[in-house]
Amino acid sequence: MKTPREVLLARHQAANAKLDALRREFVAEFNGTAPKYEPVRNAGFLNQLWLELFWSSRKVWLGFVTTWMVLGLMHVVCLGTADSAMARAETDSPQMLALLREQNRLRVELTEALRSEPAAVSPFRPSPRSEANPVSLTV
């Protein structure tokens, strides 16, 4: 009967060759004998900017664009209704002036009522606990 160690070693025997190749490559690169890989230098500034800023977070940018499009659409829809409300307000200007005069009169009345002197209120002075009347509960 095989031990668990022997079973695992037999199962992963094929990985030994790959791991040895990786070890040799790393040691050669560490000693400076292996060729070093250089990043691509021919990419332009705009291409690099596009890749780093926009392409890496394209879902976020898509959310921003969608949000701004919805806001723009809402602005256009609300702008049309505001124009019609302004046109109605211009045609009803005599009634609007009467309403504004009434509101102004009410505002003056309320501010004058607030300006009057408030009633004198005596400040609260707590009494000592010894003078407090205990509340008794009877059941």
Side-chain angles (χ1 to χ4, degrees):
M1 179 162 202
K2 291 184 178 181
T3 63
R5 182 173 189 257
E6 291 172 347
V7 172
L8 286 174
L9 284 175
R11 187 180 297 168
H12 298 293
Q13 195 71 27
N16 282 340
K18 292 178 184 176
L19 289 173
D20 288 339
L22 281 173
R23 256 187 240 110
R24 274 188 246 114
E25 186 179 329
F26 177 75
V27 170
E29 187 176 322
F30 186 73
N31 290 334
T33 57
K36 294 184 180 176
Y37 300 103
E38 294 287 328
V40 178
R41 301 268 179 181
N42 60 359
F45 173 74
L46 292 178
N47 189 23
Q48 187 176 3
L49 184 71
W50 171 259
L51 290 175
E52 290 181 8
L53 290 181
F54 296 103
W55 189 252
S56 64
S57 56
R58 58 190 176 268
K59 290 180 182 176
V60 174
W61 287 108
L62 181 65
F64 284 147
V65 168
T66 306
T67 303
W68 280 108
M69 288 178 72
V70 168
L71 288 174
L73 182 65
M74 288 174 55
H75 176 71
V76 168
V77 169
C78 292
L79 187 64
T81 58
D83 288 341
S84 62
M86 289 296 290
R88 275 183 284 156
E90 290 175 2
T91 59
D92 299 336
S93 62
Q95 288 107 1
M96 291 297 288
L97 287 174
L99 182 64
L100 288 174
R101 285 187 191 119
E102 180 66 21
Q103 287 179 352
N104 194 21
R105 186 185 61 76
L106 290 173
R107 182 186 52 85
V108 169
E109 285 180 13
L110 287 173
T111 54
E112 285 178 3
L114 291 176
R115 287 183 193 162
S116 65
E117 299 270 333
V121 177
S122 62
F124 174 73
R125 294 184 188 140
S127 60
R129 287 188 181 182
S130 60
E131 295 177 10
N133 294 330
V135 176
S136 61
L137 296 175
T138 57
V139 179

